[in-house]
Amino acid sequence: MASTQVIDRWQSGVDRWSGGVCPFAAGWRKVMMWWFIVTDGLLFAGFLASYGYARILTSSWPDQAEVFSLPYIAAMTFVLISSSATMAGAVDAAKRGAWDGALKFTLATALGGLIFLGMQAYEWTHIIGEGARLASNPWGDRAFGAYFFLLTGFHGSHVLTGVIVLLTTAARSAKRLSTAEGVEMTGLYWHFVDLVWVFIFTLFYLL
Amino acid sequence: MAHIDAAHAGSAGGGGRVYWITWGALLVITLIMLVLDSAQVSRALLLTVLLGAMLVKATLIAGNFMHLRREHRGLIATVVVGLFVMGLVLYVLIAPDASRIHDMVMRR
């Protein structure tokens, strides 16, 4: 079937499931990215469910306010939320064809990611210096250290991956090799990283 | 396919104002969560408000930043229902059962 016929059938709403051309009226890259986000989200959901289970079963879970500096964690949250906003700006600029703006916003997002990673490295150094390890810690239940390093480490590895993808996207944008859809895929991943932090921040640091 | 890419590319442009409003809302909600966390309120109220605020923030990010609210209904349903059902399985079915097994082991 000719490409234009396929597009016409899709646009008429007749053929949205006929062979994977446009399932959900979205490009295949976007659909695959959403599948990745759902499956990766389930991985984090499993971690957080396991953490919730550990919290319920123990009476000696440390008081987070004594272990962490909540204003510092709030600053990390501010950086990540702001980087998500600049990423949205990059996607918006790319869709308008404003590639200089897209490049600047993408670089600002990568900078936000690097700042977040630096802050997290400082936090880890501080916590390790206080005596926290995977199997022990000086504040309470021994599982606390394991969950802290597992949850924040796994999220941090996602941030690091995101920064690499952002810098790659920025380099491609600078050479005008990127497409608007490519920038959007990078944005979807970066917003997902921000989304996961919303849950970690609330469930692990606040509750 | 270039036509399709162009169509999708155009579907989410021009949202600058929405992005900055969302950014502001996320920061304000985070600030409220922090203030409430350090205030003297009951545990039940704290849990309710913080979990509610967390879900509102997640909805704002997914809906506005990730443009999920502008996507096809089938995609929205697959993402949201998929995660919601799996969340229910994890928290409503598996967690209580794990707790029951833990109690059985402790009684031995």
Side-chain angles (χ1 to χ4, degrees):
Chain A
M1 185 182 291
S3 176
T4 49
Q5 287 176 291
V6 172
I7 293 164
D8 288 345
R9 283 170 67 84
W10 164 66
Q11 286 176 337
S12 68
V14 171
D15 204 15
R16 289 183 178 167
W17 281 102
S18 66
V21 176
C22 272
F24 301 131
W28 66 268
R29 294 183 190 91
K30 187 188 280 187
V31 173
M32 290 300 107
M33 178 54 84
W34 273 111
W35 282 182
F36 166 75
I37 286 171
V38 168
T39 52
D40 210 23
L42 290 175
L43 198 59
F44 277 103
F47 282 153
L48 288 169
S50 167
Y51 155 74
Y53 170 64
R55 278 288 300 270
I56 290 168
L57 286 181
T58 181
S59 58
S60 59
W61 198 260
D63 180 1
Q64 293 99 317
E66 290 177 11
V67 180
F68 305 112
S69 165
L70 285 182
Y72 185 80
I73 306 301
M76 289 172 70
T77 305
F78 171 78
V79 169
L80 208 56
I81 288 174
S82 300
S83 75
S84 222
T86 54
M87 188 69 238
V91 174
D92 191 53
K95 286 180 186 304
R96 286 186 284 103
W99 286 102
D100 286 339
L103 176 61
K104 286 175 189 167
F105 275 126
T106 306
L107 287 173
T109 308
L111 180 65
L114 287 170
I115 293 171
F116 181 87
L117 283 173
M119 294 178 83
Q120 192 169 51
Y122 179 80
E123 184 200 17
W124 271 44
T125 307
H126 176 73
I127 296 287
I128 292 169
E130 296 273 311
R133 299 290 183 271
L134 271 173
S136 66
N137 69 83
W139 304 289
D141 192 278
R142 57 187 297 185
F144 174 80
Y147 280 108
F148 169 74
F149 290 117
L150 181 82
L151 280 169
T152 61
F154 199 63
H155 177 264
S157 70
H158 278 69
V159 177
L160 179 63
T161 306
V163 169
I164 293 168
V165 173
L166 282 165
L167 292 176
T168 306
T169 304
R172 286 176 57 81
S173 296
K175 294 177 183 173
R176 301 294 187 264
L177 294 173
S178 275
T179 61
E181 194 183 25
V183 178
E184 189 182 6
M185 295 312 101
T186 304
L188 278 176
Y189 179 79
W190 191 255
H191 297 312
F192 169 68
V193 167
D194 185 25
L195 189 65
V196 169
W197 183 253
V198 165
F199 286 86
I200 293 175
F201 173 69
T202 308
L203 299 174
F204 192 80
Y205 287 101
L206 293 185
L207 286 177
Chain B
M1 291 305 285
H3 294 84
I4 297 172
D5 289 345
H8 293 309
S11 67
R17 189 163 168 269
V18 173
Y19 299 145
W20 297 117
I21 291 171
T22 305
W23 173 71
L26 289 170
L27 292 182
V28 168
I29 294 170
T30 303
L31 202 62
I32 291 169
M33 291 167 81
L34 281 167
V35 169
L36 196 72
D37 190 58
S38 56
Q40 298 292 323
V41 293
S42 71
R43 187 73 180 164
L45 178 65
L46 186 69
L47 267 171
T48 307
V49 175
L50 289 186
L51 291 178
M54 178 183 77
L55 292 177
V56 169
K57 285 169 71 177
T59 305
L60 283 172
I61 291 170
N64 294 341
F65 282 165
M66 301 171 92
H67 307 128
L68 192 59
R69 68 189 174 93
R70 294 190 211 172
E71 298 296 348
H72 188 274
R73 273 180 301 177
L75 181 59
I76 298 172
T78 305
V79 170
V80 175
V81 174
L83 284 171
F84 185 71
V85 169
M86 278 309 296
L88 279 181
V89 169
L90 284 170
Y91 288 93
V92 179
L93 296 180
I94 294 179
D97 199 40
S99 180
R100 186 181 62 82
I101 292 167
H102 178 267
D103 291 344
M104 285 166 59
V105 171
M106 295 300 282
R107 273 201 296 270
R108 281 183 186 169

